[in-house]
Amino acid sequence: MDMVVDTGSQLSWIQCHGKVRRKSVKPMINWFDPYLSSSFSFLPCNTTLCRPRIPDFTLPTSCDPTRHCHYSYFYADGTLAEGNLVTEKFTFSNSLTTRSLLLGCATASTQNRGMLGMNTGRLSFISQAKISKFSYCVPDRTGSDLTGLFYLGDNPNSAKFKYVNMLTFPKSRLSPNLDKSAYTLPMKGIRIGNNKLNISPAVFKPDPSGAGQTMIDSGSDLTYLVDEAYSKVREEMVRLVGPMMKKGYEYAAVADMCFDGAVAAAVGRRIGDMWFQFENGVEILVGKGEGLLTEVEEGVKCVGIGRSDRLVTESNIIGNVHQQNMWVEYDLSNKRVGFGVAKCSGLKA
């Protein structure tokens, strides 16, 4: 089954028989037929998870006409999946099979793949399967080999990783804008080339309401910044490559640091490298030159950063465009995230 490894959400779901609603989605879909599985089971309506107002779902669960538990799940980028809650075993190889786990069997969705929920919520894949460490290597978006690598458990490369301690929050904290199940990092600033941007560290830290939380999210393509941080990055981009920017262009109403593909190489040379800065002096190189740009449509490339307020969120989100060509390890036992430089395309275990 094709599934997005998503560290920003908890519910795992697969494509069951149904239709994809958005016409632009490629028709190639790997459907899962539950009736061919001996370990598949529908979740009945009388279970506690099927009671309305369970906080693990973005909309209340309900009981469908067949007395099975129905769910709907919305994501910040507008993705929707709905169907039945079920239990099923995950099989990765002949020797690695999980116990029965709860997941969604989507009969309608806005994308052609499923989702492997990997945050710290109680219904996530890692929580249910009791996995305390995992890592992945995101490859380049261009080239002949777009295959990365994904480890459940120890990573043999971890001795070279730089680690950043995660921020954790008590369950009793009442903050309407805070995602307590997310992987929250103590980000301090952004450096472009040798210029550390004049951004207050406070904008990367959650305030009493939870606004300003900085999360790392493999399921988000772009990185998103709150307005103050985005504005400072854009100011620097205007200073460095302003005349090359595509005038009046905005991608998906969130990103406006964009260029015609023909000038991408020159833009990359002028920008240089971008670094994200964390506590204890840890800096992570998140893009070099032209590699900072991502193609958003044919002939157009943008710095892979959007405004988070356009997503109706007040958070900073480090997306996978700034996780390319590096190992990212989530070490839950030690409450830390590790980063290691790598050439991910075609990498072998």
Side-chain angles (χ1 to χ4, degrees):
M1 302 302 300
D2 293 331
M3 304 178 78
V4 175
V5 177
D6 185 15
T7 60
S9 67
Q10 67 168 315
L11 182 69
S12 298
W13 54 271
I14 53 178
Q15 293 281 0
C16 291
H17 293 301
K19 295 180 180 179
V20 172
R21 293 179 174 177
R22 195 171 59 198
K23 293 181 179 179
S24 62
V25 173
K26 296 178 181 178
M28 294 297 292
I29 299 175
N30 289 329
W31 300 110
F32 175 76
D33 187 346
Y35 298 101
L36 298 180
S37 170
S38 61
S39 54
F40 176 93
S41 178
F42 284 102
L43 197 71
C45 289
N46 59 1
T47 61
T48 56
L49 278 175
C50 205
R51 293 174 184 168
R53 298 181 183 176
I54 293 294
D56 302 284
F57 300 94
T58 53
L59 289 174
T61 50
S62 61
C63 193
D64 72 12
T66 60
R67 302 297 300 168
H68 296 148
C69 190
H70 181 272
Y71 78 95
S72 297
Y73 210 94
F74 278 98
Y75 298 83
D77 65 357
T79 299
L80 164 69
E82 62 178 325
N84 290 112
L85 292 178
V86 303
T87 58
E88 179 60 291
K89 295 179 179 179
F90 284 74
T91 298
F92 294 95
S93 67
N94 291 334
S95 60
L96 182 59
T97 300
T98 70
R99 62 184 179 86
S100 288
L101 308 181
L102 182 107
L103 70 153
C105 191
T107 53
S109 70
T110 52
Q111 67 170 29
N112 60 349
R113 291 174 290 183
M115 197 77 71
L116 190 66
M118 298 290 283
N119 74 7
T120 64
R122 62 174 181 153
L123 300 182
S124 73
F125 172 75
I126 57 167
S127 295
Q128 292 191 76
K130 302 189 184 307
I131 294 168
S132 61
K133 186 184 291 185
F134 66 94
S135 54
Y136 53 73
C137 203
V138 177
D140 286 317
R141 293 173 178 239
T142 58
S144 57
D145 191 342
L146 304 180
T147 304
L149 204 59
F150 179 44
Y151 277 106
L152 294 172
D154 291 330
N155 187 313
N157 305 283
S158 62
K160 299 178 181 179
F161 293 173
K162 293 180 180 179
Y163 286 94
V164 176
N165 293 324
M166 291 188 287
L167 298 180
T168 57
F169 309 95
K171 293 183 178 179
S172 58
R173 176 171 173 175
L174 299 177
S175 303
N177 298 312
L178 187 70
D179 184 349
K180 297 176 187 176
S181 298
Y183 297 102
T184 304
L185 300 183
M187 192 159 163
K188 298 295 185 182
I190 297 174
R191 177 162 67 89
I192 299 177
N194 293 321
N195 186 20
K196 184 182 187 305
L197 303 186
N198 184 24
I199 306 172
S200 169
V203 307
F204 299 114
K205 184 178 180 180
D207 65 17
S209 77
Q213 179 180 15
T214 298
M215 303 173 280
I216 182 166
D217 180 4
S218 64
S220 173
D221 284 340
L222 299 184
T223 288
Y224 293 89
L225 298 176
V226 296
D227 191 62
E228 182 179 338
Y230 185 92
S231 296
K232 293 294 184 180
V233 172
R234 195 179 192 284
E235 283 178 14
E236 181 66 0
M237 291 298 169
V238 169
R239 186 183 74 84
L240 293 170
V241 291
M244 297 182 176
M245 281 189 178
K246 194 171 176 64
K247 300 298 186 291
Y249 179 88
E250 191 173 51
Y251 169 67
V254 297
D256 61 358
M257 295 181 282
C258 302
F259 311 86
D260 288 319
V263 301
V267 168
R269 287 193 295 270
R270 291 196 185 185
I271 295 174
D273 301 340
M274 180 182 288
W275 304 75
F276 288 170
Q277 300 173 315
F278 299 94
E279 66 176 7
N280 300 323
V282 174
E283 286 192 321
I284 304 299
L285 177 65
V286 297
K288 301 180 66 173
E290 190 177 352
L292 279 169
L293 307 180
T294 185
E295 188 170 55
V296 296
E297 62 177 271
E298 188 174 354
V300 180
K301 292 189 175 184
C302 298
V303 176
I305 299 177
R307 301 176 187 268
S308 64
D309 62 326
R310 305 289 176 85
L311 292 180
V312 197
T313 181
E314 298 183 62
S315 304
N316 302 289
I317 302 170
I318 302 173
N320 63 53
V321 70
H322 289 121
Q323 299 176 49
Q324 294 176 90
N325 288 317
M326 71 169 74
W327 282 111
V328 182
E329 179 186 80
Y330 298 77
D331 182 353
L332 280 73
S333 296
N334 294 301
K335 297 180 180 178
R336 62 184 187 172
V337 175
F339 298 91
V341 176
K343 184 65 177 175
C344 301
S345 299
L347 198 63
K348 304 300 181 184

